[in-house]
Each structure stands twice: as C-alpha cells, then as structure tokens.
Amino acid sequence: MKGTLRRRAGSIALIIGFFAFWQFACAAFGIKDIVLPEPSQIIVTLFDRLPAIWPHAVQTLYATLIGFGLGIFFGVLIGVLIGSSRLAYDTAYPLLVGFSTIPKVAVVPIFVLWFGAGTVPAVLTAMILCIFPIVVNVATGLATTEPELEDVMRALKASRLDILLNVGLPRAMPYFFASLKVAITQAFVGTVIAETVASNRGIGNLIMIASSNFDVPLVFAGLLILAVLGVALYVIFSFIEARVTGWTRRTDEFALG
Amino acid sequence: MMHAPLAATASMDEPALEPFVQLQDVTHTYGRLSRTVTALDKTNLKIEQGNFVALVGPSGCGKSTILKLITGLISASSGAVLVAGREIGAEPVRVGMAFQNPTMLPWLNLRDNVMLPLKIVPPFRQEYRRKRKREYRDRVEALLAQVGLAGFSDKFPWQLSGGMLQRASLCRALIHEPQLLMLDEPFGALDQFTREELWGVMQNLWLSRKPTVVLVTHDLKEAAYLANRICVMQARPGRIIDDNEVPFPRPRTVAMTYEPGFVSLTQRLRELIVAASPSQEVAP
C-alpha cells in the first residue's frame, strides 16, 4: 500500500514539475506565444473559449468511441476466426501484417472519396487504426492456449464452441484488455488524423484552423483536451482490465472478489 | 463408504460381464512416412466394468497412448477400441480425466473449476443454469470435503499447493460421475508423503463410486497399492507383456506396502520392466 502511494505521489509530482518547468522556461527565456505558449495561458484559453471548443471535443470523442466500438467488434471477430485455427492463423497473418504496415493517413483520402468529408471517414480511420492490435492480441491469446487445457475439455467431449467459450476466450481476455489500452489511444490518433484532413468539426479540425490563424494557444488547448480525453479513457480501460483479468496478476484483491 | 466387501477384489465382486473397455489388435503410430514411431503394436486389452487397472512400463511404451485412445483424444491407426461394446465416439460414455499437471483454469476459483464438467457434459449441462447455485454447488462442496478440501472452494488455483490442486483435479475428474476414469500419472509431480496420502484419497473415491479406472504410472508401489490388475508394457514397439491381478485386500494402507508379499510383487514388476526396457542405447 505504501509502495503504491509513493509511486502515485511520484507520478503526480513529475506531472506538476513538468508543467512548472515549462512555465518557468517560457518566462525565463522569453519564448513568444506564437512559438510555445505558457501552460497558464493555455489553461486560460481553454476556459475562456470552452463554449467554442466543447462541441469539437464532443465530436472527436463521439467519432473515436464509435470507431473504437466497431474496432472491438470486428477486431474480436477476426481475432477469434484467426486464432481458433492454426491454418487460418498461418494463412491470414501475412495479409494482416501487410494491412497493418500501410500508414493509415494514406487511406483517409480514400474514405473521403467514398463517403465524403465529415464524421464517417473519422470513424473509419479510428476503426482501422485500433483494429490491428485487437486482432493480433485476441488471435495470439487463443492460439497460445495450453494444449493440456484443451485436453481437459476434449476428454469431456466438449464441442469447439464449448472450448472457445470456456477456455479460449477467458484465456485471451488479458491479451484483449491489454490491446484495448493501446487501441483506444490509436483510435484517437485515427479520428484526429481524419479530422485534420477532411472535416469541418472536431478537435483535429479546430487545431488545423487555429494553426492557420497562428492562434497557437488554441492549438495547445486542443492538444490538452486530446491528452485529457485519451488519459481518461486509458484509465477507464485499465480499471476494467484489473477487475476482469486480476487472475493474471494473482492479486488477493481479485480473489476476494 | 462400506459398499465394497473389504477382502474382495473386483473380479470376485461382479459376475463376468462383457468387458467395458476393449482394445482389439490396436496399432498406433505417430509421425508420417519414413519417420513413424510405433507407439502401440497389435495390442489387446479387456477391462471389466468397475475394475481398477494400472499400466506400467518404461517411458515410450505407449501407456499414455492407450489412455488417449480410450478417451477418444486420438484415434487408432488400426484395430478397434470399444467402450461399452461400441466404437469410441458412437455412444457418449462419460469420461473423467486427470493429468500429472492439475490443469486448473486460473481464472476460476476451485468450485467453478470442479464444476466445469457439469457445465459441459450431458445430461448435467441441460440443467446447469438452474442447478449451479444450489444442487451442483452442494455436490461440489461435498466432493471437495471428501478429498480434504472443505472450505477451500473460494480459493483460486494459485493460492493452493500442488497436492491440493491435484486433489481438486481428481474432484473435477469425478464430479460428473464418469463411468470411466483416466489417470495419467496424476501423482507424478508430488512429494512422497503427499503422494501416499492421495493414494488413500483415490482408493476411497474408487471404493465409494466404483468407476472403471485406468491408471498410467511410473510408480510401481502406486500401481500395486491402487490397482486390482497391473499390465506391464514394453517399449518400441509398445506391447502388453504381463497382466496380473493384485491380490491384496482393501482398503489397502501405506503400511502394507512394506509387507513381504507387496515388496516381492513390486520387485517382480521392476524386473519385468527393466528386462523390457530398450537396452542402453549407445549413440552410433
């Protein structure tokens, strides 16, 4: 308990220290607003113009969560298909790696071409960015199930579906949740990329417009919003992960329910 | 728990029946083309219902292969494996299996681990949702208590010792009242004292439920303590070379394993196995 407290205090001190140093450096070296605004100024901008920023933040969050949801759905589906058979795993993996290596910015114009500018390309970009880590992790979790565990089930004449539901998926859960933490941040990246390229709403669009107006404090306010949203979602999924897959860490908290 | 006449072996208990498990000229090879290994060669074996048979022999003699064949985990290259008079898979015979590794699912507590077969195996699975909170739960608790694990059902596997996990593994193998119990060196990874204790546990479980048991083991004392009948196998190719009843009365005790009759039996088995082992191979 004491260890956790110390670690938390350490992280908080580091975060505060980082912003304090930033503030101090801007003042000490006389860095101009247009290059790097002071944190205090960013926060003031954020609060002053919150009514204008807020709809954009909501739009970005909305597109991200829908993309993320679709990513989970298709990611788990594809991951289960690939992971539950050795043949599928070996066959599909090269194609999957191929898709994953394409820089996702490059596909945004295609989505715009197909669906027009707006929310749809943002959702789709978020989805394809977050789908890969989910597929790979779920497939790996399933494919690495210990044969002994499967033998236990097969001796009971369990069907493949029984084995998947009772052994495969629970075993893949830690992998799945680990991937969600990566996937949610990737989904944000996807949304913002699409918004900067082709949208008239969202934080990505806000940042593009602000930077073309040399409104640098607003650019940073947008970044701050993104960081806060990203961290918040990361924390939520870490919490769910700890509740669901505590058995991997063998914590007594999990054992106590 | 006084079902069985104490001084009788199973062969005297019951009238001569159609054998429950039957291997007819079973050959099984692993590998392909020129790199095949014959694990089992034209083997015949009959096991009566309710009997307790141990398979012993040098490593690589196909003991585990026989278990897997009877369970249906693998199918024979040639010959027939009959359980309850039918080809394997034709009739759903309830099988329980325990391995050297307890293979508990780490995300379930002991109760849910032991209850797993009830969730999978008919006819229990049809009523699983309705009965798991009361009837099945009580059943699991009772069985856990019988092997000395009362009060541990809320624990997770990592919180228990190897011996306790192996007890739980036996419970999981028996909870769905299998007609056939397959034990693949279940006590192999335990220390001497835990092992001897679990022999007693296993004997009591068998005496109270009388499933047909096939035990694969390296431990001759274990085979002689637990089984009604011991089959000695040779390796490469795997064959049964000796098949004998174990005459000692039940319930057997660890003290009995030091009596002259018992010692001479294990000694005779030992000599058979040494003679059957592939000669000390010298690398060419």
Side-chain angles (χ1 to χ4, degrees):
Chain A
M1 219 39 225
K2 206 178 160 198
T4 4
L5 216 65
R6 267 178 72 176
R7 256 180 290 138
R8 288 216 179 121
S11 333
I12 291 169
L14 185 65
I15 292 169
I16 293 173
F18 170 75
F19 284 105
F21 174 77
W22 179 352
Q23 181 85 30
F24 167 78
C26 285
F29 300 109
I31 298 172
K32 284 180 188 157
D33 278 0
I34 202 161
V35 179
L36 183 66
E38 294 169 356
S40 57
Q41 198 188 350
I42 295 170
I43 289 170
V44 168
T45 311
L46 188 62
F47 281 101
D48 278 355
R49 297 161 79 174
L50 197 61
I53 299 173
W54 189 244
H56 292 287
V58 170
Q59 167 68 20
T60 299
L61 188 63
Y62 166 75
T64 304
L65 288 181
I66 293 181
F68 182 57
L70 289 173
I72 291 177
F73 179 77
F74 288 109
V76 170
L77 198 69
I78 299 170
V80 167
L81 285 177
I82 291 177
S84 48
S85 130
R86 181 83 230 172
L87 183 69
Y89 193 81
D90 291 342
T91 316
Y93 216 80
L95 183 69
L96 216 59
V97 172
F99 271 121
S100 77
T101 50
I102 297 172
K104 304 302 179 300
V105 200
V107 297
V108 178
I110 301 175
F111 288 145
V112 175
L113 207 64
W114 288 345
F115 303 106
T119 308
V120 179
V123 167
L124 291 179
T125 315
M127 184 189 87
I128 60 161
L129 261 174
C130 72
I131 204 169
F132 188 71
I134 297 175
V135 170
V136 170
N137 275 28
V138 170
T140 309
L142 287 176
T144 56
T145 304
E146 294 88 340
E148 293 93 345
L149 291 186
E150 286 189 21
D151 276 354
V152 171
M153 298 295 286
R154 289 177 54 213
L156 298 172
K157 312 260 189 310
S159 66
R160 289 192 67 135
L161 184 67
D162 281 334
I163 297 179
L164 182 71
L165 292 178
N166 289 292
V167 177
L169 287 183
R171 226 226 55 147
M173 275 301 117
Y175 294 83
F176 172 65
F177 278 100
S179 77
L180 286 193
K181 290 190 293 182
V182 180
I184 187 65
T185 47
Q186 289 288 303
F188 260 110
V189 173
T191 309
V192 174
I193 286 174
E195 283 169 355
T196 55
V197 175
S199 180
N200 47 15
R201 281 167 73 199
I203 296 288
N205 178 248
L206 176 92
I207 290 175
M208 282 306 280
I209 292 173
S211 73
S212 62
N213 294 335
F214 299 103
D215 189 353
V216 182
L218 186 58
V219 173
F220 275 87
L223 287 179
L224 193 64
I225 284 269
L226 287 178
V228 168
L229 288 178
V231 169
L233 287 173
Y234 184 92
V235 168
I236 289 171
F237 283 102
S238 300
F239 180 74
I240 297 174
E241 179 189 19
R243 292 291 303 177
V244 179
T245 64
W247 58 270
T248 54
R249 275 182 279 150
R250 321 198 150 186
T251 53
D252 287 330
E253 286 92 331
F254 177 73
L256 292 172
Chain B
M1 259 200 273
M2 300 296 278
H3 301 199
L6 293 185
T9 59
S11 54
M12 289 156 69
D13 271 358
E14 290 166 15
L17 292 166
E18 179 82 343
F20 189 61
V21 176
Q22 202 171 355
L23 269 67
Q24 295 173 334
D25 282 329
V26 171
T27 298
H28 191 77
T29 52
Y30 289 107
R32 247 175 230 176
L33 301 170
S34 60
R35 303 180 67 192
T36 56
V37 177
T38 306
L40 207 57
D41 185 44
K42 293 203 176 61
T43 299
N44 288 289
L45 178 66
K46 288 180 182 172
I47 302 171
E48 306 77 33
Q49 186 145 27
N51 208 347
F52 197 134
V53 177
L55 300 173
V56 298
S59 46
C61 68
K63 306 184 293 275
S64 296
T65 304
I66 290 188
L67 274 200
K68 286 180 180 168
L69 285 168
I70 298 174
T71 322
L73 286 179
I74 54 176
S75 42
S77 307
S78 72
V81 180
L82 304 176
V83 176
R86 304 255 203 109
E87 285 270 344
I88 211 77
E91 182 169 337
V93 171
R94 284 204 298 276
V95 182
M97 203 161 181
F99 306 85
Q100 179 171 357
N101 183 341
T103 58
M104 292 282 125
L105 305 180
W107 53 87
L108 298 179
N109 62 24
L110 222 50
R111 180 187 307 112
D112 292 336
N113 260 301
V114 173
M115 219 187 277
L116 184 72
L118 299 180
K119 195 175 176 185
I120 304 297
V121 177
F124 303 101
R125 70 178 293 161
Q126 281 79 0
E127 299 183 315
Y128 180 74
R129 278 176 186 285
R130 198 153 52 77
K131 293 189 174 172
R132 70 183 159 147
K133 294 273 186 224
R134 303 284 297 273
E135 203 180 317
Y136 287 178
R137 195 184 159 111
D138 294 346
R139 200 169 159 157
V140 169
E141 301 288 352
L143 187 55
L144 284 172
Q146 201 184 342
V147 301
L149 284 177
F152 284 97
S153 52
D154 284 319
K155 296 283 183 200
F156 282 82
W158 74 82
Q159 298 172 306
L160 301 173
S161 68
M164 292 165 120
L165 289 177
Q166 206 49 263
R167 286 166 204 254
S169 175
L170 288 178
C171 289
R172 185 180 59 190
L174 285 166
I175 190 71
H176 55 301
E177 288 168 8
Q179 292 120 299
L180 203 55
L181 178 61
M182 300 281 133
L183 303 174
D184 196 349
E185 296 184 44
F187 314 120
L190 304 175
D191 66 87
Q192 182 72 30
F193 293 103
T194 312
R195 196 183 307 163
E196 286 172 354
E197 211 183 317
L198 285 189
W199 293 348
V201 169
M202 186 62 236
Q203 176 173 250
N204 286 337
L205 287 170
W206 180 73
L207 286 174
S208 64
R209 296 165 170 253
K210 284 294 175 81
T212 310
V213 186
V214 184
L215 165 74
V216 161
T217 181
H218 279 120
D219 186 339
L220 301 176
K221 238 165 106 175
E222 177 174 306
Y225 179 109
L226 281 172
N228 287 334
R229 197 177 132 199
I230 299 177
C231 299
V232 181
M233 298 184 68
Q234 67 161 40
R236 281 177 223 120
R239 275 199 196 110
I240 296 171
I241 52 167
D242 188 80
D243 191 340
N244 264 302
E245 301 284 326
V246 182
F248 312 116
R250 289 191 190 269
R252 297 171 188 161
T253 60
V254 173
M256 284 170 70
T257 64
Y258 296 99
E259 284 170 12
F262 196 101
V263 173
S264 69
L265 171 66
T266 51
Q267 226 150 29
R268 198 177 66 81
L269 292 171
R270 195 185 118 75
E271 277 156 21
L272 278 168
I273 291 169
V274 170
S277 297
S279 53
Q280 302 299 318
E281 283 166 39
V282 183

